[in-house]
Amino acid sequence: MSVSAGRQQDLTLLLMLALTFSTGIVDAVGYLGLDKVFAGNMTGNVVVLGMALAGAEGLPWVGPLLALFAFMAGAVIGGRTLRRETTGWNTRTSWSFTAVAAALAVLTVATLVTGGVPPKPWEVAVTSFLAATMGFQAAVARHLAVKDVTTVVVTSTITGLAADSRLAGGSGQPWRRRAAAVVLIALGALVGAALLQVHIALPLGLAAIISAGAAVLGHIAAHEARGSSPGSAPGGAPGAAPASAPLSGKPPTAPPRA
């Protein structure tokens, strides 16, 4: 592995952690600012849906149900977008995160124009659109396959953090990335809840900026890593032998003397 490729992997991890922070912001918007619906944490929506259907007072069931299907639809689109791509950051990955940023930017502008939280049924429509966006982001993050960082849920990350710990008899684990994912999604929810007290457009706008920054930085790093990978040279195909190297592996023979 080249140094540039190693740095790209480290940067990809950092960018996925940043998007985990962004998901915390978006979930705060969905649950506190809209209709008590999680846009990214579908486990929470399933639980809320079950309690609402049992008659629990004050819990919606339409919003969580629509968000669940919208999240799945977004994940389907993300999966089809990257189905033929190899694992890792590529141009389609960059455009996918750009699309996430654009969707969040549209919602930011919409809440600014409408003066805040939209009235029903538009509130449910905004929540569903947020859930579809997070489903799409989750599918793209899954394609990148950064271990323990899915950007939308940390339950499995917490399980690994505890099950692989020394208290459980483990010998070692990537605890820094796992702990960072848990802390960052909580911090995102904290920041999102705080910004909601000012205006709903603020947390949505911040999430859009984070997604756009991830798309740009990831694209630049991937481009630089491809440009400096071993075997790639300007004007030649990757892995091709230099023009002066014999293809047979045998030393060149001198031309016969006249």
Side-chain angles (χ1 to χ4, degrees):
M1 180 187 300
S2 66
V3 175
S4 295
R7 287 178 179 174
Q8 184 196 357
Q9 287 189 357
D10 292 340
L11 179 60
T12 300
L13 170 60
L14 292 176
L15 295 179
M16 294 302 97
L17 290 173
L19 291 174
T20 302
F21 175 80
S22 176
T23 298
I25 296 175
V26 172
D27 268 340
V29 171
Y31 195 85
L32 298 177
L34 294 172
D35 194 29
K36 289 186 173 61
V37 175
F38 294 104
N41 183 9
M42 288 302 110
T43 302
N45 279 339
V46 171
V47 172
V48 170
L49 178 62
M51 293 187 294
L53 292 177
E57 187 177 353
L59 291 179
W61 65 270
V62 175
L65 185 62
L66 290 177
L68 180 61
F69 282 110
F71 185 94
M72 294 174 64
V76 167
I77 296 172
R80 290 192 67 87
T81 300
L82 298 170
R83 179 64 58 197
R84 298 183 182 276
E85 300 289 338
T86 57
T87 301
W89 204 293
N90 51 57
T91 302
R92 285 198 178 186
T93 307
S94 302
W95 279 113
S96 295
F97 285 131
T98 302
V100 171
L104 293 171
V106 167
L107 291 179
T108 302
V109 174
T111 53
L112 282 172
V113 171
T114 57
V117 178
K120 295 182 183 300
W122 296 108
E123 180 185 20
V124 177
V126 170
T127 306
S128 299
F129 189 64
L130 269 179
T133 302
M134 290 297 100
F136 184 80
Q137 174 182 293
V140 179
R142 185 174 182 270
H143 173 79
L144 291 175
V146 177
K147 184 176 175 59
D148 299 313
V149 184
T150 66
T151 76
V152 294
V153 66
V154 293
T155 302
S156 58
T157 305
I158 294 172
T159 302
L161 190 62
D164 295 336
S165 66
R166 295 190 184 278
L167 289 175
S171 57
Q173 62 165 312
W175 66 269
R176 290 181 180 84
R177 70 169 60 187
R178 289 174 172 176
V182 176
V183 170
L184 284 171
I185 201 169
L187 282 177
L190 187 153
V191 170
L195 293 177
L196 271 172
Q197 298 180 25
V198 182
H199 197 285
I200 190 174
L202 288 179
L204 289 173
L206 178 56
I209 292 171
I210 293 172
S211 298
V216 172
L217 292 176
H219 181 75
I220 292 174
H223 179 74
E224 290 180 349
R226 286 194 298 269
S228 61
S229 60
S232 62
S244 60
L247 297 178
S248 63
K250 300 179 180 180
T253 57
R257 296 182 179 179

